[in-house]
Amino acid sequence: MQLLHTLDAHERRARNSLNFTPSENTMSPLARLPLVLDTYSRYFFDHMNLFNEWLFFGGIEAGRIELDILRPLLQEMAGAQFVDVRPISGLNCMTIAMAALCPSGGTMLTVPEESGGHMSTTHVAERLGIRTLPLPMTGTHYVDLVALEELLAQSRPDLVYMDQSSQLFPMDPYPVRQLIDAVSPDTVLHLDSSHTNGLILGGALQNPLQRGAHTFGGSTHKTLPGPHKGFLATNDERLRDRLDAIAYHYVSHHHLGAVVSLAITLLELRDCNGEDYAHRVMANARRFASALWERGIPVAEPDLGFTACHQVWVKPVAHTDATKTARLLEENGLLVNKLTGLPGIQGPAFRLSLAEATRLGSKDAEVDDLARVFADLLSDSARDRSEDVLELRQRLGRPRYCYDYDDLQSMGAPADLLHLFSTVTDTVRHR
């Protein structure tokens, strides 16, 4: 059957490759389990809280995980009194946030695409009847606070939506909030943290709520190595109610299997050295960028230290073709994200992330080995480094910073789940 052979081909490639796409990461064996169990097929609505009776019965037991574990844990890790885990993706999260925080006919400031803003933000806003103005920037990466103060006074926007899809230096909401409070106090400040949620919840980046954002959130599968889902967080009860009212109608079934998977991901982030993971991602990214630069590869922003998050931007070496180079990297087992229009870079370039390589256990030695292979292939001085990539992939093996069999056994996990965990772990290990 063609479908099964194609699926097998994907898995075989995954076994032999390393992925550097900033929008992707690899889940732990335990976090994969709810996506293959009965939970994936079931609905869960908290109808007991809403109507004082259950109307759907298939997900009652597993739904307690959302109520008793996921929400309290996310509240603690996000530093938020209120969280919403109904968004089913980053873009769905964006849509809910904008619809809730900015009225139709209102005005929103957002990061322009040429400074790393998401390509869909203005399009979603337009469909919601929201007028958008570009957040004024200075240079490539930073908000122009002088121009912003003037714009806030003139436009009195309903919402400032800080979103960076392509970023090297995550924006600090604190100075923006100071200006809002002084000039336009009715404006809401939201930070879309899709790319950096693992770094924030792991403690390597500052909490947006503590830095002045009224709300924050985003997808859960980038630096946060969880399922494809999303969340929103706030300490403002009034804004919580607005988000709740929109999410109620914009999301029906919010995917119980992914809810349970996200709960596992956060538990592992808390209990399995997630803080070390988050800091290691950033250290690995800086080390990788520096090692490429030392080998003559044109990496963006050397004067600024290359990066302050998981992303590294690499320009094509002179006299090489970016499309051919991306294919050469893929043929050698290195999966990259080639983009045109990265901030401050003319033409196509490579937007890379060290999150998944870190998740697989990469430390200094592995990062240095990766940089050597990348440098050879980017400069077209070596045509085949697939054996080196395969050796490194096999050396790293399964995801780290997560529960293993002994952990679960010591917790008293039921025998049937231990058996399923062993099966999934073997599959991931062989990958």
Side-chain angles (χ1 to χ4, degrees):
M1 182 178 180
Q2 181 183 358
L3 185 151
L4 296 178
H5 285 291
T6 303
L7 185 61
D8 180 64
H10 170 89
E11 290 300 312
R12 283 188 283 110
R13 185 179 72 163
R15 285 196 296 270
N16 301 328
S17 301
L18 287 164
N19 197 312
F20 294 84
T21 304
S23 301
E24 298 176 3
N25 209 325
T26 186
M27 291 169 59
S28 75
L30 185 60
R32 295 167 191 249
L33 269 186
L35 305 181
V36 298
L37 295 175
D38 186 71
T39 53
Y40 188 77
S41 304
R42 305 303 163 197
Y43 281 77
F44 175 71
F45 304 105
D46 190 11
H47 284 160
M48 183 60 72
N49 180 53
L50 293 171
F51 308 124
N52 203 34
E53 63 174 324
W54 293 115
L55 304 181
F56 284 73
F57 294 88
I60 291 176
E61 292 86 0
R64 298 306 314 178
I65 293 172
E66 176 183 336
L67 303 180
D68 300 338
I69 298 174
L70 175 56
R71 289 190 199 171
L73 182 58
L74 183 55
Q75 287 170 331
E76 177 185 351
M77 298 180 78
Q81 295 181 53
F82 311 109
V83 298
D84 197 315
V85 297
R86 281 172 292 184
I88 57 176
S89 70
L91 192 55
N92 180 234
C93 207
M94 172 198 292
T95 305
I96 292 169
M98 285 197 289
L101 303 176
C102 189
S104 180
T107 299
M108 179 180 80
L109 307 186
T110 189
V111 180
E113 271 192 69
E114 58 267 25
S115 294
H118 196 282
M119 65 181 181
S120 297
T121 306
T122 57
H123 297 279
V124 172
E126 181 180 1
R127 296 299 295 172
L128 293 172
I130 296 171
R131 169 175 171 254
T132 60
L133 296 173
L135 194 68
M137 305 293 293
T138 178
T140 303
H141 308 285
Y142 305 106
V143 177
D144 185 335
L145 296 174
V146 174
L148 175 60
E149 183 174 13
E150 181 178 349
L151 183 59
L152 288 171
Q154 290 176 349
S155 64
R156 303 287 180 176
D158 299 278
L159 175 64
V160 174
Y161 191 91
M162 298 176 68
D163 65 318
Q164 291 175 285
S165 178
S166 296
Q167 61 183 299
L168 295 176
F169 306 98
M171 293 177 175
D172 181 3
Y174 181 73
V176 177
R177 175 62 184 274
Q178 286 186 308
L179 289 179
I180 287 174
D181 288 347
V183 178
S184 183
D186 292 331
T187 298
V188 175
L189 174 59
H190 176 80
L191 189 137
D192 186 326
S193 53
S194 290
H195 272 269
T196 55
N197 276 325
L199 307 180
I200 292 167
L201 300 184
L205 291 178
Q206 292 180 304
N207 182 289
L209 298 180
Q210 295 175 358
R211 298 297 296 172
H214 291 98
T215 58
F216 88 99
S219 60
T220 57
H221 58 267
K222 298 180 174 77
T223 54
L224 184 61
H228 284 239
K229 195 157 175 51
F231 74 88
L232 292 162
T234 185
N235 284 318
D236 188 314
E237 186 173 5
R238 177 180 58 90
L239 297 180
R240 184 279 309 267
D241 290 343
R242 288 164 62 177
L243 292 167
D244 177 73
I246 293 296
Y248 184 83
H249 292 290
Y250 277 45
V251 182
S252 175
H253 171 41
H254 58 289
H255 301 179
L256 182 55
V259 166
V260 178
S261 178
L262 180 57
I264 293 169
T265 300
L266 294 184
L267 285 168
E268 291 181 326
L269 191 69
R270 184 193 69 182
D271 297 342
C272 303
N273 298 317
E275 184 176 354
D276 178 70
Y277 159 77
H279 283 88
R280 173 64 65 176
V281 167
M282 295 173 62
N284 281 350
R286 288 190 294 268
R287 186 181 185 93
F288 179 72
S290 179
L292 289 179
W293 179 260
E294 291 171 359
R295 289 170 172 80
I297 303 301
V299 183
E301 305 299 2
D303 295 338
L304 298 176
F306 301 108
T307 183
C309 62
H310 63 303
Q311 292 190 23
V312 175
W313 300 348
V314 178
K315 307 171 191 177
V317 173
H319 310 301
T320 64
D321 179 86
T323 298
K324 292 181 179 178
T325 299
R327 177 59 66 182
L328 178 63
L329 289 165
E330 187 270 334
E331 290 170 353
N332 281 269
L334 300 173
L335 311 182
V336 302
N337 182 204
K338 181 180 76 71
L339 285 180
T340 298
L342 282 174
I345 299 177
Q346 295 295 319
F350 305 105
R351 185 181 67 150
L352 309 178
S353 168
L354 272 290
E356 183 162 331
T358 303
R359 173 73 158 162
L360 294 173
S362 292
K363 296 186 178 179
D364 290 354
E366 289 76 22
V367 171
D368 291 345
D369 288 343
L370 283 169
R372 280 191 286 272
V373 174
F374 260 99
D376 283 350
L377 295 171
L378 287 167
S379 61
D380 204 21
S381 63
R383 297 301 302 177
D384 188 354
R385 296 296 301 272
S386 58
E387 289 300 318
D388 297 299
V389 174
L390 179 60
E391 185 277 326
L392 183 56
R393 182 68 183 84
Q394 292 175 342
R395 189 198 318 170
L396 292 171
R398 65 172 179 81
R400 315 298 171 87
Y401 305 100
C402 53
Y403 298 128
D404 60 23
Y405 185 91
D406 291 339
D407 293 327
L408 299 185
Q409 193 172 46
S410 68
M411 295 176 192
D416 287 348
L417 284 181
L418 280 173
H419 174 71
L420 287 170
F421 177 80
S422 295
T423 302
V424 173
T425 301
D426 286 343
T427 301
V428 174
R429 181 183 297 120
H430 291 310
R431 286 184 59 184

